[in-house]
Amino acid sequence: MSQQQTAEDLIRGPFRNVMNPNADGGAGSIHDQETATKLGFRGGTVAGSNHMDLFPPLAIEAFGQHWWERGSLSLYFRNATIDREAVSASMRRPARTTDVQADCWVHREDGMLVAEGSIAVGDTGEPSALQRIPLDEIRPNGVRILKDVAPGMPIADLGIIYSTAKQEDRLRVLTEPHAWYEGESPWGGPILTPCGMEHLLYAGPVASMRHLVGSSVGLFGAIELRNINGPLLVDTPYTVGGKVLAVGQSPKTEFFWFETTARNTSGQPIASMRMLLRFMKASSELWNE
Protein backbone atom coordinates (compact mmCIF):
# COMPACT_ATOMS: atom_id res chain seq x y z
CA MET A 1 0.00 0.00 0.00
CA SER A 2 1.29 3.47 -0.86
CA GLN A 3 2.61 5.71 1.87
CA GLN A 4 0.20 8.58 2.46
CA GLN A 5 1.22 12.20 2.95
CA THR A 6 -0.83 13.38 5.93
CA ALA A 7 -1.58 16.69 7.61
CA GLU A 8 -3.24 17.04 10.99
CA ASP A 9 -6.77 17.27 9.61
CA LEU A 10 -6.34 15.61 6.21
CA ILE A 11 -5.38 12.31 4.69
CA ARG A 12 -3.89 12.86 1.23
CA GLY A 13 -2.79 10.47 -1.43
CA PRO A 14 0.14 11.17 -3.73
CA PHE A 15 -0.42 12.52 -7.23
CA ARG A 16 -0.96 9.70 -9.69
CA ASN A 17 -1.05 9.66 -13.49
CA VAL A 18 -4.39 7.92 -13.94
CA MET A 19 -4.71 6.26 -17.35
CA ASN A 20 -7.64 6.20 -19.75
CA PRO A 21 -7.89 2.41 -20.16
CA ASN A 22 -10.98 2.76 -22.39
CA ALA A 23 -9.25 4.88 -25.05
CA ASP A 24 -9.35 2.00 -27.54
CA GLY A 25 -12.99 1.21 -26.88
CA GLY A 26 -14.00 2.36 -30.34
CA ALA A 27 -15.61 5.41 -31.94
CA GLY A 28 -18.74 6.69 -30.25
CA SER A 29 -17.36 6.56 -26.72
CA ILE A 30 -16.60 9.61 -24.58
CA HIS A 31 -13.22 7.96 -23.90
CA ASP A 32 -12.36 8.05 -27.62
CA GLN A 33 -10.20 11.02 -28.64
CA GLU A 34 -12.12 11.99 -31.78
CA THR A 35 -15.57 11.59 -30.25
CA ALA A 36 -14.70 13.51 -27.10
CA THR A 37 -13.09 16.46 -28.90
CA LYS A 38 -16.10 16.77 -31.24
CA LEU A 39 -18.26 17.13 -28.13
CA GLY A 40 -16.08 19.90 -26.70
CA PHE A 41 -13.79 17.94 -24.36
CA ARG A 42 -10.01 18.32 -24.39
CA GLY A 43 -9.59 14.66 -25.37
CA GLY A 44 -10.78 11.17 -24.53
CA THR A 45 -11.90 11.33 -20.93
CA VAL A 46 -10.89 9.14 -18.00
CA ALA A 47 -14.00 7.51 -16.55
CA GLY A 48 -14.68 8.84 -13.07
CA SER A 49 -14.71 5.32 -11.67
CA ASN A 50 -10.96 5.10 -12.33
CA HIS A 51 -10.39 7.90 -9.82
CA MET A 52 -12.28 5.92 -7.18
CA ASP A 53 -9.39 3.45 -7.07
CA LEU A 54 -7.28 6.21 -5.47
CA PHE A 55 -9.30 6.04 -2.24
CA PRO A 56 -8.72 2.58 -0.66
CA PRO A 57 -5.34 3.52 0.89
CA LEU A 58 -6.98 6.56 2.49
CA ALA A 59 -9.97 4.52 3.67
CA ILE A 60 -7.74 1.85 5.21
CA GLU A 61 -5.78 4.51 7.08
CA ALA A 62 -8.96 6.22 8.30
CA PHE A 63 -11.22 3.24 9.01
CA GLY A 64 -9.24 0.00 8.73
CA GLN A 65 -10.35 -3.05 6.75
CA HIS A 66 -13.95 -2.64 8.02
CA TRP A 67 -14.41 -0.12 5.19
CA TRP A 68 -14.40 -3.02 2.75
CA GLU A 69 -17.25 -4.63 4.68
CA ARG A 70 -19.53 -1.67 5.46
CA GLY A 71 -17.97 1.39 3.88
CA SER A 72 -19.06 3.77 1.13
CA LEU A 73 -17.61 6.25 -1.34
CA SER A 74 -19.94 8.85 -2.84
CA LEU A 75 -18.59 11.17 -5.54
CA TYR A 76 -20.01 13.83 -7.86
CA PHE A 77 -17.71 14.38 -10.84
CA ARG A 78 -17.09 18.06 -11.53
CA ASN A 79 -14.45 18.15 -14.28
CA ALA A 80 -13.14 15.48 -16.64
CA THR A 81 -9.48 14.54 -16.93
CA ILE A 82 -7.64 13.04 -19.87
CA ASP A 83 -5.09 10.25 -20.09
CA ARG A 84 -2.34 10.34 -17.46
CA GLU A 85 -3.14 13.75 -16.02
CA ALA A 86 -1.87 13.83 -12.43
CA VAL A 87 -4.59 13.72 -9.78
CA SER A 88 -4.67 13.20 -6.01
CA ALA A 89 -7.39 11.98 -3.63
CA SER A 90 -7.90 13.60 -0.22
CA MET A 91 -10.29 13.26 2.72
CA ARG A 92 -10.93 14.92 6.05
CA ARG A 93 -9.43 12.90 8.86
CA PRO A 94 -12.39 11.51 10.86
CA ALA A 95 -12.56 11.85 14.63
CA ARG A 96 -13.10 8.10 15.02
CA THR A 97 -12.81 4.91 12.96
CA THR A 98 -16.41 3.60 13.14
CA ASP A 99 -19.86 4.96 12.23
CA VAL A 100 -18.48 8.15 10.73
CA GLN A 101 -18.55 10.11 7.47
CA ALA A 102 -16.01 12.57 6.07
CA ASP A 103 -15.76 14.92 3.10
CA CYS A 104 -13.48 13.79 0.29
CA TRP A 105 -12.39 15.03 -3.12
CA VAL A 106 -10.03 14.59 -6.08
CA HIS A 107 -7.90 17.45 -7.44
CA ARG A 108 -5.80 17.73 -10.55
CA GLU A 109 -2.20 18.82 -9.99
CA ASP A 110 -3.01 22.40 -11.00
CA GLY A 111 -5.79 22.56 -8.39
CA MET A 112 -8.79 21.88 -10.64
CA LEU A 113 -11.55 20.05 -8.76
CA VAL A 114 -12.20 16.69 -10.44
CA ALA A 115 -14.67 15.16 -7.95
CA GLU A 116 -16.10 15.80 -4.50
CA GLY A 117 -18.30 13.94 -2.08
CA SER A 118 -18.18 11.80 1.04
CA ILE A 119 -16.50 8.65 2.33
CA ALA A 120 -17.91 6.73 5.29
CA VAL A 121 -17.99 3.54 7.29
CA GLY A 122 -20.79 1.91 9.29
CA ASP A 123 -23.99 3.64 10.45
CA THR A 124 -23.27 7.35 10.28
CA GLY A 125 -26.79 8.66 10.88
CA GLU A 126 -26.47 11.09 7.97
CA PRO A 127 -27.03 10.88 4.23
CA SER A 128 -24.08 10.53 1.87
CA ALA A 129 -23.14 13.26 -0.61
CA LEU A 130 -25.32 11.78 -3.35
CA GLN A 131 -28.18 10.83 -1.04
CA ARG A 132 -28.52 14.51 -0.14
CA ILE A 133 -29.56 15.31 -3.72
CA PRO A 134 -33.40 15.60 -3.88
CA LEU A 135 -34.09 13.17 -6.72
CA ASP A 136 -37.84 13.37 -6.14
CA GLU A 137 -37.75 16.96 -7.40
CA ILE A 138 -36.32 15.98 -10.81
CA ARG A 139 -38.82 15.83 -13.66
CA PRO A 140 -38.46 14.13 -17.07
CA ASN A 141 -40.14 17.04 -18.89
CA GLY A 142 -38.95 17.47 -22.46
CA VAL A 143 -36.53 14.54 -22.64
CA ARG A 144 -36.00 13.02 -26.08
CA ILE A 145 -33.12 10.57 -25.72
CA LEU A 146 -34.63 9.09 -22.55
CA LYS A 147 -38.31 9.27 -23.47
CA ASP A 148 -38.62 5.51 -22.92
CA VAL A 149 -36.95 5.56 -19.49
CA ALA A 150 -39.08 6.38 -16.44
CA PRO A 151 -38.59 6.69 -12.67
CA GLY A 152 -39.41 3.40 -10.96
CA MET A 153 -38.55 1.33 -14.05
CA PRO A 154 -36.95 -1.96 -12.95
CA ILE A 155 -33.49 -2.98 -14.09
CA ALA A 156 -33.78 -6.71 -14.63
CA ASP A 157 -31.69 -9.12 -12.57
CA LEU A 158 -28.64 -10.53 -14.33
CA GLY A 159 -26.13 -13.16 -13.25
CA ILE A 160 -22.65 -11.60 -13.31
CA ILE A 161 -19.14 -12.78 -12.44
CA TYR A 162 -16.16 -10.44 -12.31
CA SER A 163 -13.50 -12.76 -13.70
CA THR A 164 -9.81 -13.13 -12.98
CA ALA A 165 -9.16 -11.91 -16.54
CA LYS A 166 -11.05 -8.66 -15.84
CA GLN A 167 -9.18 -8.25 -12.57
CA GLU A 168 -5.85 -8.72 -14.34
CA ASP A 169 -6.82 -6.07 -16.90
CA ARG A 170 -7.64 -3.68 -14.07
CA LEU A 171 -4.42 -4.37 -12.20
CA ARG A 172 -2.36 -3.51 -15.27
CA VAL A 173 -3.49 0.13 -15.05
CA LEU A 174 -3.97 0.40 -11.29
CA THR A 175 -1.91 3.08 -9.53
CA GLU A 176 -2.68 1.85 -5.98
CA PRO A 177 -1.89 -1.91 -5.84
CA HIS A 178 -2.75 -4.05 -2.83
CA ALA A 179 -2.12 -7.70 -2.02
CA TRP A 180 -5.85 -8.27 -1.45
CA TYR A 181 -6.52 -7.57 -5.15
CA GLU A 182 -4.21 -10.37 -6.29
CA GLY A 183 -4.23 -13.19 -3.74
CA GLU A 184 -5.74 -14.23 -0.46
CA SER A 185 -7.63 -11.59 1.51
CA PRO A 186 -9.26 -11.59 4.96
CA TRP A 187 -12.49 -12.63 3.17
CA GLY A 188 -11.02 -15.48 1.15
CA GLY A 189 -9.89 -14.79 -2.40
CA PRO A 190 -9.07 -11.53 -4.21
CA ILE A 191 -11.44 -8.59 -3.80
CA LEU A 192 -12.62 -6.09 -6.40
CA THR A 193 -11.21 -2.58 -6.57
CA PRO A 194 -13.80 0.25 -6.43
CA CYS A 195 -13.59 0.56 -10.21
CA GLY A 196 -14.21 -3.18 -10.47
CA MET A 197 -17.22 -2.79 -8.18
CA GLU A 198 -18.61 -0.11 -10.48
CA HIS A 199 -18.14 -2.35 -13.50
CA LEU A 200 -19.93 -5.30 -11.90
CA LEU A 201 -22.83 -3.11 -10.73
CA TYR A 202 -23.11 -1.15 -13.99
CA ALA A 203 -22.05 -2.88 -17.18
CA GLY A 204 -24.51 -5.75 -17.45
CA PRO A 205 -27.64 -4.04 -16.10
CA VAL A 206 -27.20 -0.85 -18.11
CA ALA A 207 -26.28 -2.78 -21.28
CA SER A 208 -29.71 -4.39 -20.98
CA MET A 209 -31.23 -0.87 -21.21
CA ARG A 210 -29.03 0.37 -24.04
CA HIS A 211 -31.73 -0.16 -26.68
CA LEU A 212 -33.80 2.50 -24.89
CA VAL A 213 -31.25 5.29 -25.46
CA GLY A 214 -29.98 4.61 -28.98
CA SER A 215 -26.51 5.69 -30.05
CA SER A 216 -26.08 8.80 -27.88
CA VAL A 217 -22.76 9.22 -26.06
CA GLY A 218 -22.91 8.61 -22.32
CA LEU A 219 -20.68 9.60 -19.41
CA PHE A 220 -20.66 9.15 -15.65
CA GLY A 221 -21.93 12.16 -13.70
CA ALA A 222 -21.76 10.72 -10.18
CA ILE A 223 -21.19 7.35 -8.49
CA GLU A 224 -21.78 6.06 -4.99
CA LEU A 225 -20.41 2.63 -4.07
CA ARG A 226 -21.56 1.00 -0.85
CA ASN A 227 -20.36 -2.20 0.81
CA ILE A 228 -23.30 -3.77 2.65
CA ASN A 229 -21.87 -7.18 3.52
CA GLY A 230 -18.71 -6.72 1.50
CA PRO A 231 -16.41 -7.01 -0.15
CA LEU A 232 -17.23 -8.27 -3.63
CA LEU A 233 -14.93 -11.13 -4.66
CA VAL A 234 -13.33 -12.09 -7.96
CA ASP A 235 -14.70 -15.17 -9.77
CA THR A 236 -17.79 -15.22 -7.56
CA PRO A 237 -21.36 -15.36 -8.94
CA TYR A 238 -23.69 -12.48 -8.09
CA THR A 239 -27.14 -11.42 -9.21
CA VAL A 240 -27.33 -7.72 -10.03
CA GLY A 241 -30.54 -5.76 -10.50
CA GLY A 242 -32.13 -2.48 -9.50
CA LYS A 243 -34.34 0.38 -10.63
CA VAL A 244 -34.36 3.84 -12.19
CA LEU A 245 -34.71 6.61 -9.59
CA ALA A 246 -35.10 9.79 -11.66
CA VAL A 247 -34.97 11.10 -15.24
CA GLY A 248 -34.23 14.68 -16.28
CA GLN A 249 -32.17 17.04 -18.38
CA SER A 250 -29.63 19.85 -18.17
CA PRO A 251 -28.68 22.34 -20.90
CA LYS A 252 -26.13 19.93 -22.44
CA THR A 253 -27.29 16.49 -21.32
CA GLU A 254 -30.18 14.22 -20.54
CA PHE A 255 -29.64 11.97 -17.55
CA PHE A 256 -31.03 9.34 -15.30
CA TRP A 257 -30.24 8.24 -11.77
CA PHE A 258 -30.42 4.56 -10.88
CA GLU A 259 -29.46 2.09 -8.18
CA THR A 260 -28.28 -1.51 -8.48
CA THR A 261 -27.50 -4.13 -5.86
CA ALA A 262 -25.32 -7.26 -6.09
CA ARG A 263 -26.59 -10.29 -4.16
CA ASN A 264 -24.82 -13.58 -3.55
CA THR A 265 -26.28 -17.00 -4.33
CA SER A 266 -28.10 -16.96 -0.98
CA GLY A 267 -29.81 -13.68 -1.85
CA GLN A 268 -27.80 -11.64 0.66
CA PRO A 269 -27.01 -8.09 -0.52
CA ILE A 270 -23.24 -7.61 -0.75
CA ALA A 271 -22.80 -4.19 -2.37
CA SER A 272 -24.83 -1.47 -4.08
CA MET A 273 -24.32 1.49 -6.36
CA ARG A 274 -26.12 4.76 -7.02
CA MET A 275 -25.18 6.39 -10.33
CA LEU A 276 -25.94 9.49 -12.38
CA LEU A 277 -25.55 8.58 -16.06
CA ARG A 278 -25.54 11.45 -18.55
CA PHE A 279 -26.11 11.44 -22.33
CA MET A 280 -24.75 14.26 -24.47
CA LYS A 281 -27.47 16.06 -26.42
CA ALA A 282 -24.93 17.08 -29.07
CA SER A 283 -24.30 13.38 -29.81
CA SER A 284 -27.95 12.59 -30.57
CA GLU A 285 -29.80 13.24 -33.80
CA LEU A 286 -32.86 13.87 -31.62
CA TRP A 287 -31.27 17.16 -30.57
CA ASN A 288 -29.77 18.02 -33.98
CA GLU A 289 -32.84 18.21 -36.14
Side-chain angles (χ1 to χ4, degrees), residues 27 38 57 65 79 95 108 171 216 282 284 286:
K38 281 183 179 178
Q65 73 178 49
N79 289 287
R108 201 171 63 180
L171 296 182
S216 52
S284 172
L286 298 173

Side-chain angles (χ1 to χ4, degrees), residues 37-55:
T37 52
K38 281 183 179 178
L39 291 171
F41 293 86
R42 294 175 298 119
T45 65
V46 175
S49 53
N50 289 281
H51 298 311
M52 301 182 94
D53 277 350
L54 297 170
F55 281 96

Side-chain angles (χ1 to χ4, degrees), residues 4-289:
Q4 300 307 305
Q5 303 166 4
T6 61
E8 185 175 345
D9 62 339
L10 295 178
I11 303 176
R12 294 175 176 163
F15 281 98
R16 300 296 197 196
N17 299 103
V18 178
M19 293 177 60
N20 175 15
N22 307 110
D24 298 325
S29 164
I30 197 67
H31 313 300
D32 167 67
Q33 185 79 7
E34 183 177 355
T35 301
T37 52
K38 281 183 179 178
L39 291 171
F41 293 86
R42 294 175 298 119
T45 65
V46 175
S49 53
N50 289 281
H51 298 311
M52 301 182 94
D53 277 350
L54 297 170
F55 281 96
L58 283 63
I60 293 294
E61 180 172 335
F63 310 123
Q65 73 178 49
H66 186 48
W67 183 77
W68 286 107
E69 299 166 342
R70 298 197 58 227
S72 67
L73 177 59
S74 185
L75 291 179
Y76 202 104
F77 302 117
R78 297 300 185 185
N79 289 287
T81 62
I82 59 176
D83 188 50
R84 292 179 172 82
E85 283 189 319
V87 294
S88 171
S90 301
M91 64 176 285
R92 297 287 179 193
R93 185 179 294 279
R96 56 186 184 275
T97 60
T98 59
D99 300 331
V100 66
Q101 180 166 279
D103 293 336
C104 66
W105 55 91
V106 178
H107 275 107
R108 201 171 63 180
E109 200 165 21
D110 63 359
M112 183 186 78
L113 181 64
V114 176
E116 61 182 339
S118 61
I119 187 167
V121 69
D123 297 317
T124 68
E126 59 181 317
S128 68
L130 297 191
Q131 290 170 349
R132 291 194 290 264
I133 297 172
L135 301 186
D136 57 344
E137 297 179 7
I138 297 172
R139 297 291 180 265
N141 301 340
V143 297
R144 304 177 188 181
I145 299 168
L146 300 176
K147 62 181 176 59
D148 295 321
V149 180
M153 178 180 289
I155 299 174
D157 288 346
L158 287 173
I160 298 177
I161 295 176
Y162 194 86
S163 67
T164 295
K166 286 187 182 297
Q167 184 83 333
E168 289 173 347
D169 286 343
R170 184 66 208 152
L171 296 182
R172 277 192 280 272
V173 298
L174 191 67
T175 63
E176 308 298 324
H178 194 288
W180 295 345
Y181 297 149
E182 299 187 68
E184 290 299 306
S185 71
W187 306 275
I191 66 174
L192 272 61
T193 76
C195 189
M197 291 175 64
E198 173 274 318
H199 184 86
L200 184 140
L201 288 156
Y202 163 79
V206 173
S208 71
M209 300 177 64
R210 189 67 202 185
H211 67 285
L212 299 176
V213 298
S215 59
S216 52
V217 175
L219 67 159
F220 298 154
I223 301 174
E224 176 175 308
L225 298 172
R226 184 171 296 274
N227 286 303
I228 303 169
N229 293 288
L232 292 168
L233 300 172
V234 175
D235 284 334
T236 301
Y238 297 103
T239 299
V240 178
K243 67 177 180 179
V244 175
L245 302 177
V247 179
Q249 65 169 305
S250 69
K252 293 184 178 181
T253 71
E254 292 188 20
F255 60 83
F256 70 92
W257 287 88
F258 67 94
E259 284 186 344
T260 53
T261 300
R263 291 178 168 81
N264 64 16
T265 54
S266 298
Q268 181 185 40
I270 304 302
S272 66
M273 180 179 71
R274 175 173 289 201
M275 178 180 279
L276 166 60
L277 187 57
R278 295 187 179 276
F279 297 89
M280 299 295 297
K281 289 179 178 179
S283 71
S284 172
E285 60 184 15
L286 298 173
W287 285 98
N288 289 287
E289 298 174 343

